[in-house]
Amino acid sequence: MNCTDLLSHLSDYFDDQLTTELREEISEHTAGCQHCRVVLNTTHQTIEVYKGNEIYEVSPGLRERLHSAIMAKCLAKR
Amino acid sequence: MPAIQSPATEEVHPDVALVARAKAGDTAAFEQLVRQYERQIFRVAQHITQNREDAEDITQDAFLKAYEKLEQFQGNSKFSTWLVRIAVNESLMRLRKRKTSKTVSMDEDVRTEEGSIPRDFAEWRPNPEQQYNQAELADILRKTIQGLPPGFRTVFTLRDVENLSTEETAEALGLSVPAVKSRLLRARLQLRERLSRYFRQKQEGQPA
Ligand SMILES: [Zn+2]
Protein backbone atom coordinates (compact mmCIF):
# COMPACT_ATOMS: atom_id res chain seq x y z
CA MET A 1 0.00 0.00 0.00
CA ASN A 2 1.27 3.48 -0.88
CA CYS A 3 0.21 6.91 0.46
CA THR A 4 -2.41 7.46 -2.28
CA ASP A 5 -3.99 4.05 -1.67
CA LEU A 6 -4.17 4.79 2.02
CA LEU A 7 -5.90 8.07 1.38
CA SER A 8 -8.52 6.43 -0.82
CA HIS A 9 -9.42 4.06 2.03
CA LEU A 10 -9.39 6.70 4.74
CA SER A 11 -13.14 7.33 5.01
CA ASP A 12 -13.99 3.63 4.98
CA TYR A 13 -11.35 3.14 7.64
CA PHE A 14 -13.02 5.63 9.97
CA ASP A 15 -16.46 4.27 9.19
CA ASP A 16 -15.23 0.80 10.05
CA GLN A 17 -16.05 -0.58 6.64
CA LEU A 18 -12.74 -2.20 5.76
CA THR A 19 -11.73 -5.82 5.66
CA THR A 20 -9.28 -6.99 8.32
CA GLU A 21 -6.70 -7.36 5.56
CA LEU A 22 -6.96 -3.73 4.49
CA ARG A 23 -6.89 -2.54 8.09
CA GLU A 24 -3.67 -4.45 8.62
CA GLU A 25 -2.15 -3.00 5.46
CA ILE A 26 -3.00 0.47 6.75
CA SER A 27 -1.37 -0.27 10.11
CA GLU A 28 1.74 -1.53 8.35
CA HIS A 29 1.94 1.55 6.17
CA THR A 30 1.42 4.05 8.97
CA ALA A 31 4.04 2.29 11.09
CA GLY A 32 6.62 3.34 8.51
CA CYS A 33 5.15 6.59 7.15
CA GLN A 34 4.95 9.50 9.53
CA HIS A 35 2.97 11.73 7.14
CA CYS A 36 0.17 9.23 6.81
CA ARG A 37 0.22 8.59 10.53
CA VAL A 38 -0.29 12.29 11.20
CA VAL A 39 -3.00 12.59 8.54
CA LEU A 40 -4.83 9.60 9.97
CA ASN A 41 -4.59 10.82 13.57
CA THR A 42 -5.58 14.40 12.88
CA THR A 43 -8.42 13.45 10.52
CA HIS A 44 -9.73 11.20 13.26
CA GLN A 45 -9.46 14.11 15.70
CA THR A 46 -11.25 16.37 13.23
CA ILE A 47 -14.23 14.03 13.05
CA GLU A 48 -14.29 13.52 16.80
CA VAL A 49 -14.12 17.21 17.65
CA TYR A 50 -17.09 17.94 15.36
CA LYS A 51 -19.07 14.99 16.66
CA GLY A 52 -18.53 15.96 20.26
CA ASN A 53 -19.42 19.64 19.99
CA GLU A 54 -22.82 21.09 19.34
CA ILE A 55 -21.74 24.20 17.55
CA TYR A 56 -25.27 25.30 16.75
CA GLU A 57 -27.08 24.59 19.96
CA VAL A 58 -30.73 25.53 20.11
CA SER A 59 -31.50 27.40 23.34
CA PRO A 60 -34.74 26.51 25.16
CA GLY A 61 -36.13 29.97 24.32
CA LEU A 62 -35.40 29.62 20.64
CA ARG A 63 -36.79 26.11 20.62
CA GLU A 64 -40.11 27.17 22.15
CA ARG A 65 -40.44 30.08 19.73
CA LEU A 66 -39.64 27.83 16.81
CA HIS A 67 -42.00 25.14 17.97
CA SER A 68 -44.93 27.54 18.36
CA ALA A 69 -44.24 29.04 14.95
CA ILE A 70 -44.14 25.62 13.27
CA MET A 71 -47.38 24.48 14.88
CA ALA A 72 -49.14 27.77 14.10
CA LYS A 73 -48.13 27.50 10.44
CA CYS A 74 -49.20 23.89 10.14
CA LEU A 75 -52.51 24.27 11.95
CA ALA A 76 -53.40 27.26 9.80
CA LYS A 77 -53.14 24.94 6.79
CA ARG A 78 -55.71 22.46 7.99
CA MET B 1 -54.88 -12.37 18.68
CA PRO B 2 -53.81 -9.25 16.87
CA ALA B 3 -54.36 -9.56 13.15
CA ILE B 4 -51.22 -7.64 12.29
CA GLN B 5 -48.09 -8.73 14.01
CA SER B 6 -44.72 -7.57 12.79
CA PRO B 7 -42.06 -10.24 12.68
CA ALA B 8 -39.46 -9.96 15.42
CA THR B 9 -36.69 -9.50 12.89
CA GLU B 10 -38.31 -6.45 11.33
CA GLU B 11 -38.68 -3.84 14.00
CA VAL B 12 -41.14 -1.11 13.17
CA HIS B 13 -39.85 2.40 13.86
CA PRO B 14 -42.08 4.23 16.36
CA ASP B 15 -42.37 7.10 13.86
CA VAL B 16 -44.41 4.86 11.55
CA ALA B 17 -47.31 4.83 14.01
CA LEU B 18 -47.02 8.58 14.62
CA VAL B 19 -47.04 9.31 10.89
CA ALA B 20 -50.10 7.07 10.41
CA ARG B 21 -51.93 8.93 13.18
CA ALA B 22 -50.88 12.31 11.78
CA LYS B 23 -52.11 11.29 8.33
CA ALA B 24 -55.46 10.47 9.90
CA GLY B 25 -55.64 14.02 11.23
CA ASP B 26 -54.19 13.58 14.73
CA THR B 27 -52.35 16.86 15.31
CA ALA B 28 -50.92 15.71 18.62
CA ALA B 29 -49.09 12.94 16.78
CA PHE B 30 -47.69 15.43 14.29
CA GLU B 31 -46.67 17.73 17.12
CA GLN B 32 -44.72 14.89 18.67
CA LEU B 33 -42.82 14.40 15.42
CA VAL B 34 -42.08 18.11 15.38
CA ARG B 35 -40.72 17.93 18.94
CA GLN B 36 -38.53 15.00 18.01
CA TYR B 37 -36.89 16.56 14.99
CA GLU B 38 -37.10 20.37 15.22
CA ARG B 39 -33.65 20.77 16.74
CA GLN B 40 -32.00 18.48 14.21
CA ILE B 41 -33.69 20.20 11.28
CA PHE B 42 -32.68 23.61 12.64
CA ARG B 43 -29.04 22.52 13.03
CA VAL B 44 -28.90 21.08 9.51
CA ALA B 45 -30.37 24.29 8.06
CA GLN B 46 -27.97 26.44 10.05
CA HIS B 47 -24.98 24.35 9.00
CA ILE B 48 -25.89 24.65 5.33
CA THR B 49 -26.93 28.31 5.25
CA GLN B 50 -24.64 29.58 8.03
CA ASN B 51 -27.38 32.00 8.99
CA ARG B 52 -29.67 31.78 12.00
CA GLU B 53 -32.65 33.64 10.62
CA ASP B 54 -32.59 31.56 7.46
CA ALA B 55 -32.36 28.42 9.56
CA GLU B 56 -35.46 29.44 11.56
CA ASP B 57 -37.46 30.13 8.40
CA ILE B 58 -36.29 26.92 6.76
CA THR B 59 -37.21 24.85 9.81
CA GLN B 60 -40.74 26.27 9.79
CA ASP B 61 -41.12 25.82 6.04
CA ALA B 62 -39.72 22.30 6.08
CA PHE B 63 -42.25 21.13 8.68
CA LEU B 64 -45.07 22.90 6.87
CA LYS B 65 -44.09 21.19 3.64
CA ALA B 66 -43.85 17.84 5.39
CA TYR B 67 -47.29 18.41 6.88
CA GLU B 68 -48.79 19.27 3.52
CA LYS B 69 -47.09 16.34 1.78
CA LEU B 70 -47.63 13.79 4.51
CA GLU B 71 -49.81 11.74 2.17
CA GLN B 72 -46.84 11.37 -0.17
CA PHE B 73 -44.63 9.86 2.51
CA GLN B 74 -44.67 6.16 1.72
CA GLY B 75 -42.61 4.86 4.57
CA ASN B 76 -39.94 3.36 2.32
CA SER B 77 -37.44 5.52 4.12
CA LYS B 78 -37.21 6.76 7.67
CA PHE B 79 -39.43 9.74 8.39
CA SER B 80 -36.40 11.64 9.71
CA THR B 81 -34.47 11.08 6.45
CA TRP B 82 -37.45 12.26 4.44
CA LEU B 83 -37.69 15.36 6.63
CA VAL B 84 -33.96 16.06 6.34
CA ARG B 85 -34.25 15.82 2.57
CA ILE B 86 -36.98 18.48 2.55
CA ALA B 87 -34.88 20.72 4.82
CA VAL B 88 -31.75 20.30 2.67
CA ASN B 89 -33.69 21.27 -0.46
CA GLU B 90 -35.15 24.31 1.28
CA SER B 91 -31.68 25.30 2.50
CA LEU B 92 -30.04 24.99 -0.90
CA MET B 93 -32.89 26.99 -2.44
CA ARG B 94 -32.32 29.70 0.15
CA LEU B 95 -28.59 29.82 -0.68
CA ARG B 96 -29.44 30.06 -4.36
CA LYS B 97 -31.70 33.05 -3.72
CA ARG B 98 -29.03 34.75 -1.66
CA LYS B 99 -26.39 34.48 -4.36
CA THR B 100 -28.56 35.73 -7.18
CA SER B 101 -25.89 35.51 -9.85
CA LYS B 102 -24.62 32.13 -8.83
CA THR B 103 -26.40 28.82 -8.66
CA VAL B 104 -25.90 26.56 -5.71
CA SER B 105 -26.56 22.89 -6.02
CA MET B 106 -25.22 19.67 -4.67
CA ASP B 107 -23.02 19.50 -7.74
CA GLU B 108 -21.34 22.80 -7.18
CA ASP B 109 -17.76 22.92 -6.01
CA VAL B 110 -17.13 19.22 -6.31
CA ARG B 111 -14.23 19.86 -8.61
CA THR B 112 -12.30 21.71 -5.94
CA GLU B 113 -8.99 19.99 -5.67
CA GLU B 114 -7.91 21.48 -2.38
CA GLY B 115 -7.92 18.84 0.27
CA SER B 116 -7.34 15.94 -2.08
CA ILE B 117 -3.69 15.88 -1.22
CA PRO B 118 -2.91 16.52 2.43
CA ARG B 119 -0.27 19.16 2.98
CA ASP B 120 -0.23 19.97 6.63
CA PHE B 121 1.59 17.36 8.65
CA ALA B 122 1.52 19.02 12.03
CA GLU B 123 0.28 16.83 14.83
CA TRP B 124 -2.22 18.39 17.15
CA ARG B 125 -2.32 16.03 19.98
CA PRO B 126 -3.43 15.77 22.68
CA ASN B 127 -7.06 16.60 22.14
CA PRO B 128 -7.49 20.28 21.23
CA GLU B 129 -10.34 20.55 23.70
CA GLN B 130 -7.77 20.62 26.44
CA GLN B 131 -6.30 23.85 25.09
CA TYR B 132 -9.46 25.73 24.30
CA ASN B 133 -12.47 26.85 26.19
CA GLN B 134 -15.84 25.79 24.81
CA ALA B 135 -16.70 29.12 23.20
CA GLU B 136 -13.29 29.46 21.56
CA LEU B 137 -13.44 25.94 20.18
CA ALA B 138 -17.02 26.37 18.89
CA ASP B 139 -15.90 29.55 17.13
CA ILE B 140 -13.04 27.73 15.40
CA LEU B 141 -15.33 24.89 14.36
CA ARG B 142 -17.87 27.34 12.94
CA LYS B 143 -15.21 29.25 11.00
CA THR B 144 -13.62 26.15 9.53
CA ILE B 145 -16.88 24.60 8.41
CA GLN B 146 -18.05 27.94 6.97
CA GLY B 147 -15.12 27.86 4.57
CA LEU B 148 -16.19 24.59 2.98
CA PRO B 149 -18.14 24.66 -0.29
CA PRO B 150 -21.88 23.99 0.39
CA GLY B 151 -21.78 20.58 -1.29
CA PHE B 152 -19.03 19.34 1.01
CA ARG B 153 -20.41 21.11 4.07
CA THR B 154 -23.78 19.42 3.65
CA VAL B 155 -22.35 15.93 3.32
CA PHE B 156 -20.06 16.40 6.31
CA THR B 157 -22.89 17.84 8.44
CA LEU B 158 -25.27 14.97 7.80
CA ARG B 159 -22.66 12.27 8.10
CA ASP B 160 -20.33 13.45 10.87
CA VAL B 161 -22.36 15.96 12.85
CA GLU B 162 -25.85 14.47 12.64
CA ASN B 163 -24.58 10.89 12.43
CA LEU B 164 -26.68 9.77 9.50
CA SER B 165 -25.41 6.62 7.77
CA THR B 166 -23.79 6.90 4.35
CA GLU B 167 -26.93 5.41 2.79
CA GLU B 168 -29.25 7.81 4.62
CA THR B 169 -27.05 10.75 3.63
CA ALA B 170 -27.18 9.62 0.00
CA GLU B 171 -30.95 9.35 0.19
CA ALA B 172 -31.40 12.72 1.87
CA LEU B 173 -29.24 14.45 -0.74
CA GLY B 174 -30.36 12.52 -3.79
CA LEU B 175 -26.77 11.41 -4.43
CA SER B 176 -25.24 8.02 -5.05
CA VAL B 177 -23.37 6.29 -2.23
CA PRO B 178 -20.00 6.61 -4.05
CA ALA B 179 -20.63 10.35 -4.55
CA VAL B 180 -21.33 10.75 -0.84
CA LYS B 181 -18.18 8.83 0.03
CA SER B 182 -15.94 10.88 -2.22
CA ARG B 183 -17.38 14.18 -0.95
CA LEU B 184 -17.10 13.02 2.61
CA LEU B 185 -13.41 12.21 2.16
CA ARG B 186 -12.71 15.60 0.59
CA ALA B 187 -14.71 17.40 3.26
CA ARG B 188 -12.92 15.57 6.07
CA LEU B 189 -9.50 16.26 4.58
CA GLN B 190 -10.25 19.92 3.95
CA LEU B 191 -11.50 20.40 7.48
CA ARG B 192 -8.45 18.61 8.83
CA GLU B 193 -6.26 20.98 6.86
CA ARG B 194 -8.08 24.04 8.20
CA LEU B 195 -8.11 22.83 11.79
CA SER B 196 -4.42 21.97 11.58
CA ARG B 197 -3.67 25.56 10.68
CA TYR B 198 -5.56 26.85 13.72
CA PHE B 199 -4.16 24.37 16.17
CA ARG B 200 -0.60 24.68 14.90
CA GLN B 201 -0.74 28.46 15.28
CA LYS B 202 -1.96 28.02 18.80
CA GLN B 203 0.81 25.58 19.63
CA GLU B 204 3.46 27.80 18.06
CA GLY B 205 2.06 30.84 19.84
CA GLN B 206 2.26 29.07 23.15
CA PRO B 207 5.62 27.41 23.55
CA ALA B 208 5.61 24.63 26.08
ZN1 LIG C 1 2.14 7.25 3.56
Side-chain angles (χ1 to χ4, degrees):
Chain A
M1 180 173 290
N2 61 33
C3 300
T4 314
D5 293 337
L6 183 137
L7 210 58
S8 71
H9 291 302
L10 203 60
S11 269
D12 282 339
Y13 175 83
F14 292 124
D15 298 337
D16 212 6
Q17 292 187 329
L18 286 185
T19 59
T20 325
E21 259 186 342
L22 273 171
R23 292 193 82 85
E24 276 166 14
E25 281 186 49
I26 285 181
S27 306
E28 267 173 45
H29 180 92
T30 49
C33 177
Q34 205 214 338
H35 279 181
C36 283
R37 200 161 61 236
V38 171
V39 169
L40 198 130
N41 287 343
T42 52
T43 307
H44 180 69
Q45 297 246 43
T46 299
I47 298 167
E48 289 305 305
V49 80
Y50 269 96
K51 267 196 211 296
N53 278 280
E54 280 210 45
I55 55 176
Y56 295 119
E57 184 50 290
V58 184
S59 69
L62 169 61
R63 189 177 177 189
E64 272 321 301
R65 184 153 51 85
L66 202 52
H67 185 82
S68 307
I70 293 166
M71 290 315 293
K73 258 193 182 180
C74 292
L75 295 180
K77 277 281 169 180
R78 293 191 78 209
Chain B
M1 274 286 266
I4 304 159
Q5 204 168 24
S6 54
T9 47
E10 212 178 297
E11 232 172 84
V12 178
H13 197 283
D15 287 356
V16 173
L18 285 174
V19 171
R21 280 170 53 199
K23 275 186 183 178
D26 183 345
T27 42
F30 184 74
E31 183 160 17
Q32 198 175 326
L33 289 167
V34 174
R35 285 240 176 256
Q36 267 166 223
Y37 298 115
E38 57 197 0
R39 278 188 305 175
Q40 183 184 24
I41 296 301
F42 177 84
R43 282 197 308 262
V44 167
Q46 172 126 28
H47 267 289
I48 299 173
T49 63
Q50 299 292 318
N51 180 290
R52 205 186 96 158
E53 280 168 28
D54 281 349
E56 282 193 48
D57 290 347
I58 289 161
T59 308
Q60 292 178 34
D61 292 347
F63 278 104
L64 179 62
K65 228 167 220 175
Y67 192 66
E68 287 173 334
K69 289 181 168 180
L70 212 51
E71 281 305 321
Q72 290 173 29
F73 175 68
Q74 296 299 328
N76 307 324
S77 61
K78 275 189 186 169
F79 179 72
S80 57
T81 309
W82 185 68
L83 200 56
V84 165
R85 181 170 194 159
I86 294 174
V88 167
N89 286 338
E90 291 283 314
S91 303
L92 292 174
M93 221 152 53
R94 190 67 61 121
L95 280 188
R96 218 171 290 144
K97 271 187 208 157
R98 213 195 289 158
K99 304 179 177 180
T100 41
S101 61
K102 216 178 151 199
T103 54
V104 176
S105 77
M106 281 310 297
D107 292 322
E108 198 205 2
D109 298 320
V110 290
R111 292 180 192 284
T112 317
E113 284 305 317
E114 189 208 345
S116 304
I117 301 145
R119 280 190 304 263
D120 201 314
F121 300 116
E123 270 284 16
W124 35 278
R125 272 176 177 282
N127 201 312
E129 281 167 76
Q130 292 165 6
Q131 291 183 332
Y132 291 79
N133 65 46
Q134 208 50 41
E136 206 181 353
L137 186 61
D139 193 45
I140 289 172
L141 297 182
R142 269 194 297 272
K143 279 181 186 150
T144 44
I145 204 163
Q146 258 168 21
L148 287 189
F152 289 177
R153 198 159 68 209
T154 305
V155 170
F156 183 81
T157 298
L158 298 187
R159 193 65 193 72
D160 283 340
V161 182
E162 298 299 333
N163 286 316
L164 267 66
S165 71
T166 305
E167 289 71 21
E168 286 167 346
T169 304
E171 199 187 323
L173 302 181
L175 290 171
S176 69
V177 166
V180 167
K181 284 188 172 185
S182 96
R183 279 171 212 210
L184 182 62
L185 176 65
R186 303 253 194 116
R188 283 169 167 176
L189 290 176
Q190 283 197 25
L191 276 180
R192 184 203 79 92
E193 202 88 18
R194 286 159 199 268
L195 283 183
S196 294
R197 265 177 249 152
Y198 269 98
F199 293 134
R200 197 190 49 220
Q201 273 169 19
K202 178 91 174 186
Q203 276 169 358
E204 283 168 358
Q206 284 188 341

